[in-house]
């Protein structure tokens, strides 16, 4: 039985026992059936006497057996006409890992392990590394991270953008016995498949046009430390088997190399996507999911833990050089009412902007709190109704204009003072003013 640690109660509750998930040949994904596997296993086929009956003309009457074993699932084909398939290979008998998907006739059968969620008592701490939070959901997260930091088990961090996944990964590394080793960040969605392959797994000189020298790759660079695989949901399907082998064997064969190389690396992966839905849709391998998610931590959205807002605001004020701790009042109430679509990252930006735009030494209650879309939090701040570069340019110009208008107002149009307040060079401020169409006559000869 695979034992996973997770705070994602919804997924594990009521799911005891190994299961198979069946997506019929012509059935939509939503009609997928879940069948619990008894310890003795099941007989799969088209015959009505089978434990798992597939109404699929390409399935033989008695097609295959599936039996849960210690290392996964033993699958035996019973001499079927169209075969039983795993990863494009026709099998007769195989031990398949948890999460693997079998092709039986035109149907797909996914093998799901028994899961056992540990009962997690919230930590007493109100921070873990640079992550702050006093709400119960966050203290549950801290409890798992504290425990998981002491092992080398792979961790999967899930949560919306800006909920602190990268911060959690860094904090895990810093609290682990590997803290003396490297912490390497690798963005799985940032490049083409070939580039990701060579940047993650490395390549040898001459492996492809332009490979002028050996390149170690992120996995080798993380030896003795932690490799943070950001946006793992974007990893191309074609590279997923190679990562799976890496996780299983801790060894990699760089592009163009003859022999595999071994490294000692702890994996932490993260995504803002619903990775489990990606597995269901066939965009992410189930066996890789289970390999990565031995510990699965769901970082809750800020709107689900508004109790954390006061703690975070105080921490962010301190980080931005304001010592005001007296934050109760209408300003805080506005922050508590807001939906925070950009999560803690957005709160960080709001507080940083408020401190930057406030007069020096201002109290929190007098700081300008600018929220994106108080009235309709779901409406995007930018619409894609014009080409990307054009939209970006327009937004930047608007930002420059609004920022500079307020800056000139606050500095009494004194450009030296304005540059000091904005913490930029005067020359640069002139250029920004010019771009925003705000460069007034007094400053023309001032450069
Ligand atoms: N619990 C927290 N305590 C303090 N700061 C936080 C917390 N969570 C997030 N932050 C702040 O928000 C910023 C964004 O966090 P981070 O980059 O870790 O988010 P993420 O979930 O990895 O986002 P993305 O999915 O967009 O990469 C951090 O730099 C940090 O300033």
């Amino acid at each position: 039985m695979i034992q996973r640690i997770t705070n994602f109660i919804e997924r594990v509750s009521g799911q005891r026992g190994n299961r198979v998930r069946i997506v019929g040949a012509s059935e939509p994904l939503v009609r997928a059936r879940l069948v619990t596997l008894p310890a003795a296993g099941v007989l799969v086929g088209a015959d009505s006497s089978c434990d798992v009956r597939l109404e699929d003309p390409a399935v033989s009457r008695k097609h295959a057996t599936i039996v849960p074993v210690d290392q996964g699932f033993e699958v035996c084909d019973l001499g079927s006409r169209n075969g039983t398939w795993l990863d494009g290979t026709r099998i007769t008998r195989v031990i398949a890992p948890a999460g693997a998907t079998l092709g039986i006739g035109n149907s797909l059968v996914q093998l799901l392990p028994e899961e056992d969620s540990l009962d997690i008592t919230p930590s007493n701490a109100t921070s873990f590394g640079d992550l702050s939070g006093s709400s119960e959901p966050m203290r549950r997260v801290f409890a798992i991270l504290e425990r998981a930091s002491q092992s080398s088990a792979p961790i999967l961090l899930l949560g919306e953008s800006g909920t602190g996944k990268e911060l959690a990964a860094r904090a895990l590394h810093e609290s682990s016995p590997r803290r003396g080793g490297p912490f390497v960040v690798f963005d799985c969605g940032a490049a083409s498949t070939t580039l990701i392959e060579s940047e993650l797994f490395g390549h040898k000189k001459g492996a492809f046009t332009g490979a002028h020298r050996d390149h170690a790759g992120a996995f080798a660079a993380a030896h003795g430390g932690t490799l943070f695989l950001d946006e793992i949901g974007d990893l191309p399907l074609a590279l997923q088997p190679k990562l799976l082998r890496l996780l299983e064997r801790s060894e990699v064969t760089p592009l163009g190399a003859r022999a595999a190389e071994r490294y000692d690396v702890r994996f932490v992966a993260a995504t803002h996507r619903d990775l489990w839905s990606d597995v269901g849709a066939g965009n992410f391998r189930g066996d890789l999911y289970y390999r990565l998610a031995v510990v699965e931590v769901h970082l809750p959205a800020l709107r689900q833990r508004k109790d954390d807002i006061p703690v975070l605001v105080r921490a962010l004020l301190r980080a931005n050089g304001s010592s005001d701790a007296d934050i109760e009042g209408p300003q805080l109430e506005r922050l508590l009412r807001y939906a925070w679509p950009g999560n803690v990252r957005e709160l960080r930006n709001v507080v940083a902007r408020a401190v930057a735009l406030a007069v020096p030494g201002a109290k929190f209650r007098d700081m300008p709190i600018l929220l994106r879309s108080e009235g309709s939090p779901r409406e995007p701040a930018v619409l894609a109704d014009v080409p990307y570069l054009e939209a970006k340019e327009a937004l930047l110009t608007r930002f420059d204009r609004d920022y500079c208008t307020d800056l000139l107002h606050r500095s009494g149009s004194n450009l030296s003072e304005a540059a000091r307040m904005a913490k930029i060079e005067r020359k640069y401020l002139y250029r920004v003013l010019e771009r925003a169409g705000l460069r007034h006559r007094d400053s023309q000869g001032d450069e």
Side-chain angles (χ1 to χ4, degrees):
M1 178 184 68
I2 290 186
Q3 192 176 54
R4 301 197 315 136
I5 305 184
T6 178
N7 60 334
F8 206 176
I9 309 298
E10 296 88 333
R11 179 154 316 138
V12 281
S13 59
Q15 295 192 345
R16 296 198 62 85
N18 296 284
R19 290 146 301 143
V20 288
R21 182 166 174 267
I22 297 150
V23 185
S26 54
E27 291 176 39
L29 202 62
V30 285
R31 303 255 320 264
R33 266 189 292 156
L34 267 180
V35 179
T36 302
L37 283 187
V42 285
L43 173 62
V44 182
D47 198 273
S48 59
S49 67
C50 289
D51 307 303
V52 177
R53 184 163 175 236
L54 297 178
E55 289 183 38
D56 175 343
V59 170
S60 298
R61 289 165 58 80
K62 292 192 174 154
H63 198 110
T65 55
I66 304 174
V67 181
V69 292
D70 276 354
Q71 315 86 322
F73 298 80
E74 182 183 42
V75 181
C76 294
D77 184 84
L78 302 176
S80 67
R81 192 167 16 100
N82 294 315
T84 299
W85 298 76
L86 178 65
D87 291 337
T89 305
R90 186 168 181 161
I91 57 109
T92 46
R93 180 186 168 275
V94 78
I95 303 291
T101 303
L102 303 170
I104 295 188
N106 294 319
S107 303
L108 297 175
V109 176
Q110 192 180 19
L111 307 170
L112 306 179
E114 176 167 6
E115 293 186 333
D116 190 16
S117 74
L118 298 179
D119 201 11
I120 299 149
T121 312
S123 167
N124 291 326
T126 53
S127 66
F128 181 76
D130 286 341
L131 283 178
S132 308
S134 56
S135 63
E136 190 180 314
M138 275 313 270
R139 288 188 294 112
R140 276 186 202 281
V141 166
F142 297 156
I144 304 181
L145 295 177
E146 284 160 9
R147 207 184 300 188
S149 64
Q150 298 314 307
S151 84
S152 272
I155 300 189
L156 179 64
L157 300 168
L158 300 169
E160 291 176 13
S161 189
T163 46
K165 299 184 292 295
E166 180 163 350
L167 221 53
R170 285 183 191 277
L172 266 167
H173 174 73
E174 289 303 326
S175 316
S176 77
R178 296 171 172 265
R179 72 180 73 88
F183 177 78
V184 176
V185 179
F186 186 82
D187 187 341
C188 300
S192 66
T193 304
T194 325
L195 203 60
I196 294 178
E197 184 166 17
S198 101
E199 290 298 314
L200 181 57
F201 305 113
H203 66 247
K204 293 289 174 198
K205 183 178 169 184
F208 50 83
T209 322
H212 298 305
R213 58 178 73 89
D214 289 2
H215 177 67
F219 179 53
H223 181 55
T226 305
L227 178 58
F228 176 50
L229 297 170
D230 204 4
E231 298 310 343
I232 188 74
D234 293 341
L235 187 73
L237 208 45
L239 294 182
Q240 291 179 17
K242 196 160 177 175
L243 179 60
L244 185 64
R245 275 197 301 279
L246 181 56
L247 280 153
E248 279 167 350
R249 298 186 210 148
S250 292
E251 59 180 40
V252 68
T253 309
L255 279 168
R258 296 202 174 167
E261 298 171 3
R262 286 188 73 80
Y263 299 98
D264 167 31
V265 171
R266 201 254 174 103
F267 287 89
V268 180
T271 179
H272 67 278
R273 297 162 64 130
D274 181 352
L275 204 55
W276 190 240
S277 295
D278 287 343
V279 171
N283 299 325
F284 199 84
R285 291 180 64 118
D287 42 5
L288 180 56
Y289 180 96
Y290 278 109
R291 267 281 162 189
L292 288 167
V294 175
V295 179
E296 182 180 288
V297 181
H298 184 78
L299 284 153
L302 189 53
R303 64 181 169 282
Q304 294 163 337
R305 52 181 172 106
K306 289 197 171 173
D307 304 359
D308 281 340
I309 290 179
V311 178
L312 287 165
V313 170
R314 287 195 183 93
L316 291 164
L317 283 171
R318 269 197 311 278
N320 284 282
S322 164
S323 54
D324 190 15
D326 181 16
I327 59 170
E328 303 293 329
Q331 295 261 65
L332 181 62
E333 276 155 31
R334 266 180 74 205
L335 299 186
L336 290 169
R337 272 198 307 273
Y338 186 60
W340 300 108
N343 292 299
V344 189
R345 177 183 289 121
E346 187 179 1
L347 178 61
R348 180 196 68 183
N349 294 345
V350 165
V351 173
R353 194 165 50 208
V355 174
L357 296 180
V359 288
K363 294 281 180 205
F364 177 69
R365 63 172 175 269
D366 299 322
M367 290 182 186
I369 299 283
L370 307 173
L371 299 177
R372 248 204 289 180
S373 48
E374 249 164 321
S376 51
R378 299 224 158 262
E379 195 174 301
V382 175
L383 296 176
D385 55 353
V386 288
Y388 171 76
L389 290 177
E390 206 178 301
K392 189 172 166 188
E393 194 58 34
L395 181 71
L396 290 178
T397 308
R398 210 159 56 237
F399 165 79
D400 280 348
R401 206 181 46 234
D402 292 352
Y403 186 92
C404 291
T405 304
D406 195 54
L407 187 66
L408 291 174
H409 173 67
R410 284 163 191 279
S411 61
S413 291
N414 177 331
L415 296 189
S416 303
E417 175 65 5
R420 199 186 56 73
M421 286 171 74
K423 292 202 167 82
I424 55 177
E425 294 276 318
R426 248 157 64 113
K427 274 191 174 174
Y428 185 59
L429 176 61
Y430 293 143
R431 281 211 299 282
V432 178
L433 286 169
E434 194 163 49
R435 242 191 351 244
L438 291 172
R439 190 169 174 187
H440 47 78
R441 221 178 285 125
D442 307 355
S443 65
Q444 290 291 332
D446 209 355
E447 231 165 13

